Each structure stands twice: as C-alpha cells, then as structure tokens.
Amino acid sequence: MSGDFLLGVNYWPRRKAMYWWKEFDAREVIEEFTQIRELGLKLVRIFLLWEDFQPKPNTVSDSAISNLGTVLDTAKELGLMVIPTFFVGHMSGLNWLPKWLLSGRPHERFLTFSDGRVVDSGAINIYENPLALESEKILLETVGREFSSHGAVHSWDISNELDNVFIPRNPEVARRWLSFVYRTLKSVSKKPVTFGIHQEDIEGDKHFRVPDVAKWNDYLCMHAYSVYTDFTEPLDPYFVPFTCVLTRELGGKDVLMEEFGMPTTQGTTKRIKSATGKRVMEHYLVNEKEAARWLEKTLRLIKAVGSIGAVYWNFSDYYPALWRRPPFDRAIHERFFGLFREDGSPKPGALVMKKFAEEQCDPEGIGVKLNVPDDYYSNPKENMKKLYLQFRGVVEHDSEPWGSSNRHDSARG
C-alpha cells in the first residue's frame, strides 16, 4: 500500500461500548464521528460483534447490516474511512460469541459473554469445524458483497486477536483458514484485506506466524502495548515502533500499527488490580500528561520507521454506568484507554493526535534492518528481546532528540 500516513482510532461508543449494536443510536455515531474528524483523524476501526451480526449459523442480522450501512454512510459524509473487523470474537478481556458457537468446555484464559451473560465456555474449532466454516463464509459474503463498493470502506480486517478465542492446532491449519477467508472476501469485494494480529503472535507461537499471515494479507497489522510488556518500561516509546519493524521484516509487507495505547488517570501514575481474562493482575493507570509525552514520541517513531499509519486504542473512556457491566466490572484498566474522557472532554493525548495531524509531521526516516533469524519461531520471545536491543541501539542514536529515552517518565518508579 502507498499514500499518506494514516492516523486513526479504534471505536466503541462511550455510552455503549460492546453493547453498541444491540442499543444502536445513529445520532450517537454522528456526534462521536464528528469528534474524531475534528481531531484531524482519517481512519476509524470498528468491530462487527459476532453474536449481533450472526445470531444463528445461517442468518446474518438485517438490522445489523442496516446499522453498519448507517455507520459507513456517516463516515463517508464526514470524510472518514472505516476498517470493519469480522469475527469479534475477542474484545477487552472477554470473548464475545453467539450461543451456537460455544463448545461447553472452559477456555483456558478467558470467560465468554454470550446471550446476555458471562459463561465459562470456549468456542468450537472455528478453523476446522464444518458448521463454523460455512457460517463464516455466509457472514463474509453477505457483508462483503453488501458494502463491496462503499466509499467509506478502507479495507476489511479478518478478525481481532482471534487466537485469544481459539488457537489453531498447528501453523498449517492457520494458513489454510487464512487462505479460505481471504479468498472468500476477495470473491465478493476488491477492498484490501488484513488481519488483526497482536504482540503475542511475535512474542510466542500461537500458530498465526507473521510470514504465513502475510501471504493472505494485502498489508499487515500489529497490536502492541508497551504497558503490557515484561522486558521494557511501560512508557518506553521504542517498543511499539519496534514491533512495526519486526512485523515488516518477518512478513515483507507494509505494516499498520492498528492498536496501541495507554490506560490513564488524571491523578498520579499508579498500579491497580484489574482482570485480564480469568486472572486478576497488576496493571498501570498512567498520568494523562505522562501518557501524552509517551504518545508524541511513539507516534513520531512509528512514522519515522516507515509504518503506513497508527490507529490509537481507544476513542473514549466509558461512562460509569458501563462499569457495572462486563468486561468493565472486572477489567478496571479497560475503562480508561480513551483519547477522550467519559464526559467527552479531550485528554492531553487527543491534543497530541490533533497536532500531529495538523502539522503533517514528517520526521526524517530511520532505516532499520533487523537480523531476523530464519528460525525466529523456534524461540520467539528470546529472539524478540535480542532484536529489540538491536533496534534500540540503532534508533535511539538516530532519533535524538525527539525520540530520546523516556525512562525518567517511567511508571516503574
């Protein structure tokens, strides 16, 4: 892909979150997409919650299709492009699945929200089960055909971190499924196709290996969070750009940083207890101003290393009324990833995004060639650590002063 650097945001409504499609309000979309456009952002990634779009295996919801059309029409009127994401699937520490897709067996990491309640059940084999495959084909063809020529559709995203729902048995199963999905979409739409993989797919081997994903993507994506990484600091501005370069080196295609962000607080940076899947773990809430300084440096580096764009997680913090509902009743940190606060006011990070968009910021490019071993996936975590140090040595020197180390702002204290 080529063209201008794409600056955007992942979107759930601040009042609805993952309950958006069940409680759809077109006026809300107009209001919040207008806020996004006023920041100068061009790209919005949205999520087709599987249960809402396909309540039965052979049925795609007419109302969901109609509401998606409203969203895309609104985006077009405002000059925004949209990446619709299929098979969601995994979102904010829960798996959101239609009842017909449940296996009845517990998932090793995540609870599932289905049919209005949280259940301890994983999914059937979504890559090999005949019912699942036929249903996926129906959803892809129905949505892809309906909006194949819509001017607001930038590209299609196959799914969001789908190995958190079900890990393929082996890389061959993953390759076969990616080929099936890609070919199905391309049979009804000529829009580009990508796949929302995440840092777990380069830190470990969940069988969606980047070189394999690249064969069935028109461009690559990566989701990376320095605050979730155990071998650097939460406010390290180098980690996210590094994952862009590593993904490009592994896959040989352009990379969009499709998710990156920081959970924030207006107060002092602090550690909190918050659920990640079934486990309660220690997370950070980072002071908004510290997070904004991190974002400015990270954005400049993402662009400087040659990524095609950056899509922030997330549009807004969520209304307190949502804090009683899953996943926010347990996943405290997920409440506060927004560019906007719950009352609609912009955080300092939103102003960083706006300034970046207005200035058409064009830092000098930094050429980085990593010595990625052919057998990277034989020991991905150790290979990733070594390559990160290599990246840091090159980029930290070449990117001064605007990309200088942020260790003094670190939440590790």
Side-chain angles (χ1 to χ4, degrees):
M1 299 183 72
S2 60
D4 294 337
F5 187 78
L6 293 167
L7 199 60
V9 68
N10 290 270
Y11 176 76
W12 289 108
R14 70 166 59 90
R15 301 174 185 89
K16 305 288 177 55
M18 294 91 223
Y19 304 93
W20 179 25
W21 301 107
K22 291 180 177 67
E23 304 168 11
F24 188 81
D25 182 347
R27 293 169 299 179
E28 182 177 60
V29 177
I30 295 170
E31 172 195 333
E32 296 187 338
F33 274 28
T34 298
Q35 279 188 286
I36 291 168
R37 190 67 188 93
E38 287 173 349
L39 287 186
L41 308 184
K42 297 180 180 179
L43 190 63
V44 182
R45 181 177 177 234
I46 64 170
F47 305 91
L48 313 186
L49 212 65
W50 208 336
E51 181 178 58
D52 295 330
F53 275 79
Q54 200 166 26
K56 297 180 180 179
N58 60 350
T59 302
V60 178
S61 166
D62 289 338
S63 63
I65 291 290
S66 175
N67 291 336
L68 176 56
T70 298
V71 172
L72 294 176
D73 289 346
T74 301
K76 186 177 180 181
E77 289 171 10
L78 291 168
L80 296 170
M81 297 177 291
V82 177
I83 302 178
T85 305
F86 288 96
F87 308 136
V88 180
H90 182 75
M91 182 55 56
S92 297
L94 273 181
N95 290 334
W96 304 73
L97 300 173
K99 193 173 181 179
W100 57 265
L101 201 60
L102 301 183
S103 68
R105 296 183 298 276
H107 191 284
E108 63 273 14
R109 287 178 63 189
F110 298 104
L111 295 169
T112 294
F113 191 91
S114 181
D115 197 25
R117 63 192 183 96
V118 174
V119 296
D120 191 4
S121 175
I124 61 177
N125 188 333
I126 51 184
Y127 314 108
E128 299 180 274
N129 182 285
L131 173 67
L133 291 171
E134 181 57 30
S135 301
E136 290 157 11
K137 185 172 186 288
I138 291 169
L139 183 59
L140 292 165
E141 289 181 339
T142 302
V143 175
R145 185 179 291 114
E146 179 71 20
F147 301 108
S148 63
S149 59
H150 198 290
V153 176
H154 171 271
S155 52
W156 303 111
D157 189 339
I158 292 170
S159 188
N160 181 67
E161 301 174 12
L162 192 57
D163 47 57
N164 282 338
V165 175
F166 198 102
I167 299 174
R169 280 190 303 117
N170 54 50
E172 177 53 36
V173 168
R175 286 191 290 268
R176 188 165 60 242
W177 185 80
L178 287 166
S179 170
F180 154 71
V181 172
Y182 183 85
R183 292 176 185 274
T184 300
L185 267 174
K186 286 295 190 178
S187 72
V188 295
S189 173
K190 302 307 178 187
K191 300 285 187 180
V193 174
T194 191
F195 181 37
I197 57 174
H198 57 140
Q199 67 193 62
E200 290 187 7
D201 295 309
I202 50 178
E203 287 180 340
D205 186 3
K206 299 177 78 176
H207 298 156
F208 282 119
R209 298 176 176 178
V210 175
D212 297 334
V213 172
K215 292 176 183 177
W216 303 106
N217 277 197
D218 295 307
Y219 68 94
L220 287 162
C221 285
M222 180 47 58
H223 304 171
Y225 294 83
S226 58
V227 75
Y228 289 163
T229 304
D230 61 8
F231 63 83
T232 188
E233 300 168 342
L235 285 168
D236 179 353
Y238 296 94
F239 178 75
V240 170
F242 160 70
T243 66
C244 292
V245 174
L246 178 56
T247 302
R248 185 177 68 224
E249 294 278 303
L250 284 166
K253 288 188 175 177
D254 288 338
V255 176
L256 173 71
M257 177 43 63
E258 192 181 48
E259 275 190 35
F260 72 114
M262 191 71 66
T264 66
T265 175
Q266 293 185 63
T268 303
T269 293
K270 59 186 176 181
R271 295 179 174 94
I272 63 166
K273 298 292 185 182
S274 182
T276 297
K278 293 181 178 181
R279 299 174 58 195
V280 175
M281 302 175 66
E282 190 173 79
H283 288 272
Y284 287 96
L285 294 182
V286 176
N287 173 267
E288 288 180 354
K289 293 180 180 178
E290 292 181 55
R293 289 194 292 270
W294 165 85
L295 175 58
E296 182 177 17
K297 294 174 183 178
T298 299
L299 269 177
R300 288 174 176 269
L301 282 165
I302 289 172
K303 186 171 185 181
V305 299
S307 305
I308 61 174
V311 187
Y312 193 80
W313 185 273
N314 189 22
F315 162 65
S316 178
D317 291 355
Y318 297 112
Y319 265 37
L322 286 168
W323 297 359
R324 299 189 298 270
R325 304 174 78 175
F328 310 110
D329 55 343
R330 298 179 68 246
I332 310 300
H333 66 295
E334 294 283 0
R335 302 172 183 174
F336 303 113
F337 270 99
L339 287 173
F340 293 89
R341 303 184 189 97
E342 64 196 49
D343 62 2
S345 61
K347 296 181 185 180
L351 303 181
V352 168
M353 295 286 279
K354 182 177 175 65
K355 182 179 179 183
F356 195 88
E358 288 174 347
E359 291 180 351
Q360 297 284 315
C361 181
D362 194 19
E364 185 178 349
I366 303 172
V368 185
K369 179 68 176 175
L370 300 176
N371 298 318
V372 180
D374 293 337
D375 64 345
Y376 178 87
Y377 279 99
S378 66
N379 194 353
K381 186 63 173 284
E382 288 307 309
N383 283 325
M384 187 179 183
K385 289 180 179 179
K386 292 175 183 176
L387 291 166
Y388 173 74
L389 292 175
Q390 182 188 136
F391 173 89
R392 182 86 178 239
V394 173
V395 177
E396 190 169 8
H397 177 267
D398 289 351
S399 62
E400 300 288 355
W402 51 263
S404 60
S405 176
N406 203 26
R407 65 188 59 174
H408 296 298
D409 294 332
S410 172
R412 288 205 186 276

